[in-house]
Amino acid sequence: MDNFKIIEIKKSVFENNDREADKLRDELRANKTFLLNLMSSPGAGKTTTLKATLSRLKDEFKIGVMEADIDSDVDARTIEQSGIESIQLHTGGMCHLDAGMTRQGIDEFDANRFDLVVLENVGNLVCPAEFDTGSSKNAMILSVPEGDDKPLKYPLMFTISDVVLINKIDTKSVFEFDDEAVKERIHKLNPNAEIFFISARTGEGVDAWCDWLRRQVNEWNK
């Protein structure tokens, strides 16, 4: 009979993270702070979309932004120049944020001061989808140049996202992108996902997205 014990490390890590995430989410709800976890691949337009969103909501809510990156402060500086309070979270080489890292940022930022906190996660479509950050809602951005096949290649990201923003629709004349195909692929994975077609550069569709976010924040903070 074998005398050694087998430990499922990955399962244990996820279970511990999920408990911490649920605890953080309960605390945020009690403090009436809505946390949006925003994810995308690099270059999809997270920061540009965020700036367009903040410009529409900053007079209605007290907003803070936590920028996650492996090793830079470019995004935090960009957001701060927009007049929104921000901090930079360095992941030390890790390709995602988990609930523990998010809590460190929340505590350091004293995020309970805000109605809405946006966590701009590390840019990729794999690792951030695996870890619950404790957010109130998950949002992701898929840009037109990336192609309409990404739900097939990165299903988990689309499965866990409450809302999908299809960004850079102003580039459709350059790139082949099938709106109906991408909607069908997303809803096959996640029938409840909200989908908005936007251009953060021109502003097209951004108001509809902001209306959705506004409703979510108000409902959370009742």
Side-chain angles (χ1 to χ4, degrees):
M1 182 176 180
D2 295 330
N3 293 319
F4 56 83
K5 184 177 182 180
I6 298 175
I7 303 174
E8 298 291 345
I9 298 296
K10 190 171 184 180
K11 181 179 179 182
S12 176
V13 168
F14 286 150
E15 287 178 347
N16 290 338
N17 183 75
D18 288 347
R19 284 193 293 270
E20 181 65 23
D22 287 339
K23 183 178 178 182
L24 176 58
R25 196 160 23 245
D26 288 343
E27 292 173 8
L28 290 170
R29 184 181 284 279
N31 287 311
K32 296 186 177 182
T33 300
F34 184 96
L35 176 62
L36 178 72
N37 179 28
L38 182 61
M39 300 170 285
S40 80
S41 60
K46 280 200 305 299
T47 305
T48 305
T49 300
L50 185 52
K51 287 175 62 179
T53 302
L54 296 175
S55 69
R56 288 163 171 78
L57 298 179
K58 65 182 181 180
D59 293 332
E60 301 177 45
F61 303 113
K62 188 167 185 181
I63 305 174
V65 175
M66 301 194 301
E67 293 284 352
D69 209 338
I70 291 175
D71 189 29
S72 82
D73 60 3
V74 174
D75 292 337
R77 290 181 182 275
T78 300
I79 294 301
E80 197 166 55
Q81 289 169 3
S82 301
I84 301 295
E85 192 172 346
S86 65
I87 61 169
Q88 187 74 52
L89 308 179
H90 283 164
T91 65
M94 299 185 71
C95 60
H96 68 274
L97 286 180
D98 59 23
M101 298 175 194
T102 304
R103 178 180 288 281
Q104 289 182 55
I106 290 288
D107 291 345
E108 185 68 27
F109 202 22
D110 190 17
N112 294 331
R113 299 175 291 134
F114 302 108
D115 305 309
L116 168 63
V117 175
V118 181
L119 171 62
E120 185 175 341
N121 215 315
V122 179
N124 76 75
L125 294 180
V126 181
C127 304
E130 294 185 327
F131 290 87
D132 188 345
T133 61
S135 63
S136 310
K137 295 289 182 179
N138 293 318
M140 70 160 293
I141 300 172
L142 171 68
S143 66
V144 166
E146 293 175 85
D148 53 44
D149 62 343
K150 291 303 172 288
L152 303 176
K153 295 185 175 183
Y154 305 100
L156 182 59
M157 176 61 77
F158 292 87
T159 300
I160 62 99
S161 292
D162 300 288
V163 60
V164 179
L165 305 179
I166 311 295
N167 190 28
K168 303 187 182 181
I169 58 174
D170 52 304
T171 66
K172 283 185 181 179
S173 62
V174 180
F175 300 96
E176 292 185 5
F177 193 93
D178 190 325
D179 290 0
E180 293 306 313
V182 79
K183 287 194 292 185
E184 181 180 346
R185 290 162 181 166
I186 292 169
H187 282 148
K188 186 175 181 180
L189 294 166
N190 184 354
N192 296 320
E194 297 278 357
I195 302 173
F196 296 96
F197 289 82
I198 71 168
S199 168
R201 186 179 69 85
T202 69
E204 184 178 355
V206 176
D207 286 340
W209 145 244
C210 287
D211 286 342
W212 179 89
L213 182 55
R214 182 183 292 109
R215 290 194 299 272
Q216 301 305 314
V217 176
N218 285 330
E219 180 66 27
W220 183 268
N221 295 341
K222 279 184 178 178

